[in-house]
Amino acid sequence: MSGAIDSILVEKRVFEPAPEFKAAAAVSGMEAYQALREQARRDPDTFWGDAARDMLVWRKPFTRVLDESDAPFYRWFDDGELNVSENCLDVHLSNGNADKPAIVFEADDGRVQTVSFRELHARVCRIANGIAGLGYRKGDRAILYMPMSIEAIACMQACARLGITHSVVFGGFSTKSLHQRIVDVQASLVITADEQMRGGRAIPLKAAVDEALAGPDTGRVRQVIVYRRSGGRVDWRDGRDHWLHEIEDGQADTCAPVPVEAEHPLFILYTSGSTGKPKGVQHSSAGYLLWAKMSAQWVFDAKPDDVFWCTADIGWVTGHSYIVYGTMAAGLTQIVFEGVPTYPDAGRFWDMIQRHKVTIFYTAPTAIRSLIKASSAAPETAPANYDLSSLRLLGSVGEPINPEAWVWYHQHVGGGRCPVVDTWWQTETGGHILAPLPGATPLKPGSCTLPLPGIEIDVVDEAGRSLPEGKGGYLVITRPWPAMIRTVWGDAERYVKSYFPPELGGAYLSGDSAQLDSDGYCWIMGRTDDVLSVSGHRLGGTEIESTLVAHEAVAEAAVVGRPDPVTGEAVVAFVVPKDELPGEADAPALAGALRDWVMREVGPIAKPREIWFGNAMPKTRSGKIMRRLLRIVAENGEITQDTSTLENPDALNRLHGPY
Ligand code: WT7
């Protein structure tokens, strides 16, 4: 771990579950939580085996729960077979949910469209029949590059129904990232839309796909399916491109789900790691779905008439687990929102909660912080102007929620009566790992509390030794769990190297630092690698650095995160130009050009907020860029530590910016 870990502020407030909430909860009281935890610890095979039999429908029952013989390549329920889409949709046709709304979709412009489980099932079947009609089969891979929509969810489910492994690329990523992923997963199918609508603006998607497919190594892609969202103009390649509505047209409303092995890859999702290239996190079918469903039921205390709204995009794992799979398998009615929280104004979320009578609201700290700011700037958009009495539970995900934002969320959105579940997890974990059970766990603002039953964690030092309470260290997960990452797609060695370093004796390295308090509550302190968290999105510092260095004007670059009250971190880049250092007059133009470059190459979310220029980067004698010092510069701080051990201490004084 680089540098000392600062001690985090000690938050003393504790919020016990309200007696009525506790009484009605599925897991009620800490004794119930402890009992589940004990049960899982004593006999994990029975715990997970029973859960998998109770909660999932199998086509071929499994006889083994966990195969550890090739650890860390764990196999769960591996001689069993099932179909994920059958478990998310067909099961609801005969359990009383058929006519219940599965999705209430609200478009950017406010148009609302509702589909029941029966209708969604039929839609998924028609799409699956259409995709199968184009010749796609189990084992193929599809890239999805789509806006938030019923269609996108239906396409993911249709892939799952056919055993096609999907990889969703967030619509905010650029052509370049899209191309990289199409090549890496060796996709033969791409599903996209003409455009996406955000905040009243149309953003082309199909055009980006066309550009990506014009790039090298994309020859496997035979077909592109296009959902007509906006009616905007698109270029068309006959024979390759198909409208979604045309391939659906005339198809049967039923489609036999294709049974797949438990370990069959349901999806691959790319995430930033500590080296340049994003990693394709490969998830399983059975273990993943089991935990996505179980954790959804536990952590959100799901009830049959809940209206659940997760504001995440389906391009992130949160959207996979708590929109498309876990919550759908749990039979929840869900709100799906196309737009942005600030359009037409910053009251949009509260207005939607009021109109749709949302009972469970799950969002990110960055959204909360930006809405706090907006509601003080424009008080008419504050939550107090809306009737939010339908809410009974609030959730947070993506980054640490600072206690002030937690308390605001609890008071102003939750009216002081809704538990706030702060859920810590990762793309790699598939589902929640540390999170309160709202009818049991006393809450401490800023802490993601305790591991869920079945999950074992620890905080350790570099040598893998457990650290005492109050000491910061590496957060690790010490036992395998069903929804864990199976491998890095196409790079098993990287999987082992990134997540199972030998010092840890088999434990999974999360990449986060944390400390436990005297109640065993976990306080996440941040990443231990160069991964930045901007608006809850994980960005690889090295990835942005490599992109900057690929620009013709750049010789060297370093990227750091500067704490930001709204976005968590802001990207700050330090650049050594190839040619002469720009003067104050030229620096803004070069900074602008570099920003546009990063936006085009990686995507708008990676665009540096500030750029500094220098003749050289401050380096250690072994040639490592001292990002720790750059971070201080980025914060406009004073460098007090001794810099005489640097190769070139002078480099620091010559930096100029920010631009
Ligand atoms: C990283 C994972 C989890 C789905 C969305 C992000 C940070 C996530 C919390 C939380 C503190 C959190 C961690 C983690 N993170 N949730 N509740 N408290 N930090 O998935 O893109 O894979 O990012 O997000 O640093 O490692 P992801």
Side-chain angles (χ1 to χ4, degrees):
M1 201 160 307
S2 58
I5 290 170
D6 300 330
S7 165
I8 41 172
L9 102 177
V10 186
E11 173 61 48
K12 290 267 192 288
R13 286 167 284 195
V14 176
F15 295 76
E16 296 282 342
E20 323 79 69
F21 194 102
K22 182 174 166 184
V27 182
S28 177
M30 281 308 264
E31 305 70 32
Y33 161 76
Q34 292 298 0
L36 281 166
R37 226 180 134 175
E38 265 317 300
Q39 202 184 321
R41 205 174 265 167
R42 236 187 359 255
D43 185 359
D45 259 38
T46 306
F47 178 81
W48 292 118
D50 285 352
R53 274 180 292 266
D54 288 353
M55 303 198 70
L56 300 179
V57 173
W58 294 83
R59 283 308 186 87
K60 176 171 170 251
F62 58 90
T63 63
R64 276 194 296 269
V65 173
L66 171 62
D67 177 1
E68 301 190 58
S69 60
D70 191 24
F73 299 92
Y74 297 98
R75 300 177 63 83
W76 288 87
F77 320 113
D78 72 333
D79 60 346
E81 289 182 8
L82 48 49
N83 179 279
V84 169
S85 158
E86 178 176 14
N87 273 281
C88 294
L89 293 167
D90 304 49
V91 294
H92 299 304
L93 300 184
S94 53
N95 66 1
N97 282 340
D99 295 311
K100 164 175 162 172
I103 299 176
V104 178
F105 171 75
E106 181 159 319
D108 191 51
D109 65 7
R111 178 181 54 92
V112 174
Q113 187 191 353
T114 301
V115 286
S116 66
F117 279 97
R118 193 196 307 281
E119 288 161 341
L120 184 61
H121 171 268
R123 185 92 202 262
V124 168
C125 287
R126 289 197 298 272
I127 295 175
N129 287 329
I131 294 175
L134 293 173
Y136 291 99
R137 296 286 175 271
K138 178 184 166 212
D140 288 332
R141 282 168 308 279
I143 287 278
L144 271 74
Y145 187 60
M146 297 183 82
M148 289 294 284
S149 52
I150 294 172
E151 286 70 15
I153 295 167
C155 286
M156 291 167 76
Q157 285 284 348
C159 287
R161 201 163 185 90
L162 298 172
I164 296 171
T165 300
H166 61 65
S167 183
V168 182
V169 178
F170 175 55
F173 277 125
S174 68
T175 303
K176 181 82 180 295
S177 311
L178 179 61
H179 173 259
Q180 204 174 43
R181 287 153 174 78
I182 292 171
V183 174
D184 198 68
V185 296
Q186 304 179 302
S188 54
L189 171 65
V190 176
I191 311 181
T192 188
D194 49 3
E195 298 179 310
Q196 67 176 333
M197 302 300 302
R198 286 173 75 80
R201 287 192 313 134
I203 303 158
L205 292 177
K206 170 67 163 59
V209 170
D210 290 340
E211 204 183 322
L213 291 180
D217 303 322
T218 54
R220 272 195 191 75
V221 176
R222 298 194 307 273
Q223 322 275 352
V224 176
I225 298 175
V226 188
Y227 157 49
R228 184 146 72 197
R229 163 62 187 93
S230 66
R233 210 196 70 81
V234 287
D235 288 337
W236 207 253
R237 168 95 67 92
D238 283 328
R240 184 195 72 178
D241 299 348
H242 307 267
W243 288 113
L244 178 66
H245 58 266
E246 286 176 3
I247 69 149
E248 255 183 280
D249 203 35
Q251 298 288 354
D253 283 350
T254 55
C255 166
V258 176
V260 301
E261 309 78 60
E263 286 294 322
H264 180 71
L266 175 65
F267 66 88
I268 297 160
L269 196 57
Y270 284 82
T271 189
S272 300
S274 38
T275 55
K277 202 179 136 206
K279 292 183 274 212
V281 173
Q282 179 180 321
H283 277 289
S284 69
S285 292
Y288 167 78
L289 184 66
L290 172 65
W291 188 237
K293 180 176 176 181
M294 270 174 95
S295 56
Q297 291 189 335
W298 272 342
V299 174
F300 302 124
D301 186 43
K303 301 269 190 278
D305 35 1
D306 271 318
V307 177
F308 177 81
W309 183 14
C310 165
T311 66
D313 191 280
I314 49 156
W316 307 108
V317 73
T318 309
H320 282 60
S321 301
Y322 302 112
I323 297 178
V324 182
Y325 292 117
T327 38
M328 199 168 287
L332 284 165
T333 291
Q334 300 189 78
I335 307 299
V336 171
F337 177 43
E338 179 181 44
V340 296
T342 48
Y343 179 81
D345 62 43
R348 182 69 180 262
F349 277 2
W350 325 131
D351 179 48
M352 284 181 62
I353 291 171
Q354 170 178 301
R355 276 188 289 110
H356 298 299
K357 301 200 167 33
V358 171
T359 61
I360 308 173
F361 182 61
Y362 189 36
T363 195
T366 183
I368 299 166
R369 290 191 301 261
S370 74
L371 294 172
I372 294 175
K373 213 171 138 185
S375 67
S376 71
E380 70 281 5
T381 67
N385 302 296
Y386 298 85
D387 175 7
L388 305 181
S389 59
S390 58
L391 287 170
R392 64 179 200 90
L393 181 67
L394 300 174
S396 171
V397 60
E399 55 184 315
I401 175 163
N402 32 316
E404 291 331 299
W406 193 104
V407 168
W408 185 90
Y409 194 31
H410 184 256
Q411 286 301 324
H412 294 263
V413 182
R417 74 185 178 277
C418 306
V420 175
V421 291
D422 177 2
T423 61
W424 180 91
W425 58 298
Q426 308 177 294
T427 306
E428 294 88 340
T429 69
H432 302 149
I433 292 293
L434 286 145
L437 294 180
T441 320
L443 306 172
K444 302 185 189 184
S447 168
C448 53
T449 75
L450 300 165
L452 291 171
I455 303 291
E456 299 293 334
I457 60 125
D458 202 359
V459 173
V460 302
D461 67 10
E462 292 85 350
R465 286 174 300 232
S466 281
L467 289 168
E469 63 191 44
K471 277 257 185 267
Y474 297 93
L475 174 63
V476 300
I477 308 175
T478 56
R479 288 291 303 153
W481 66 104
M484 70 191 294
I485 173 176
R486 292 309 196 264
T487 187
V488 172
W489 174 258
D491 198 346
E493 199 184 316
R494 194 168 175 204
Y495 166 70
V496 178
K497 253 177 93 176
S498 314
Y499 302 109
F500 299 94
E503 310 82 86
L504 296 184
Y508 165 90
L509 178 68
S510 70
D512 278 23
S513 55
Q515 71 180 51
L516 302 178
D517 70 14
S518 53
D519 297 319
Y521 276 47
C522 185
W523 299 79
I524 301 290
M525 297 150 82
R527 299 283 309 187
T528 59
D529 49 21
D530 78 332
V531 172
L532 314 187
S533 168
V534 178
S535 299
H537 300 321
R538 217 163 118 177
L539 296 173
T542 10
E543 197 183 343
I544 307 173
E545 288 172 6
S546 311
T547 305
L548 283 166
V549 172
H551 187 277
E552 54 184 14
V554 177
E556 197 172 21
V559 164
V560 300
R562 172 166 58 73
D564 179 274
V566 172
T567 58
E569 283 189 296
V571 176
V572 179
F574 292 83
V575 169
V576 179
K578 272 194 190 138
D579 300 330
E580 215 174 303
L581 201 59
E584 273 185 28
D586 306 329
L590 181 57
L594 294 177
R595 259 188 209 105
D596 287 350
W597 170 255
V598 174
M599 183 155 102
R600 252 199 29 179
E601 294 289 300
V602 188
I605 47 175
K607 190 166 91 170
R609 175 92 57 89
E610 288 171 356
I611 298 184
W612 293 68
F613 293 103
N615 281 320
M617 291 292 155
K619 288 188 182 168
T620 62
R621 296 201 193 263
S622 61
K624 273 190 158 169
I625 298 178
M626 286 293 282
R627 292 188 181 70
R628 203 149 33 94
L629 296 178
L630 293 176
R631 216 163 277 137
I632 299 171
V633 175
E635 285 174 48
N636 271 323
E638 201 179 321
I639 296 178
T640 51
Q641 55 258 75
D642 179 17
T643 56
S644 61
T645 56
L646 290 181
E647 177 71 39
N648 53 352
D650 209 32
L652 280 170
N653 305 328
R654 301 236 199 100
L655 293 170
H656 71 104
Y659 295 100

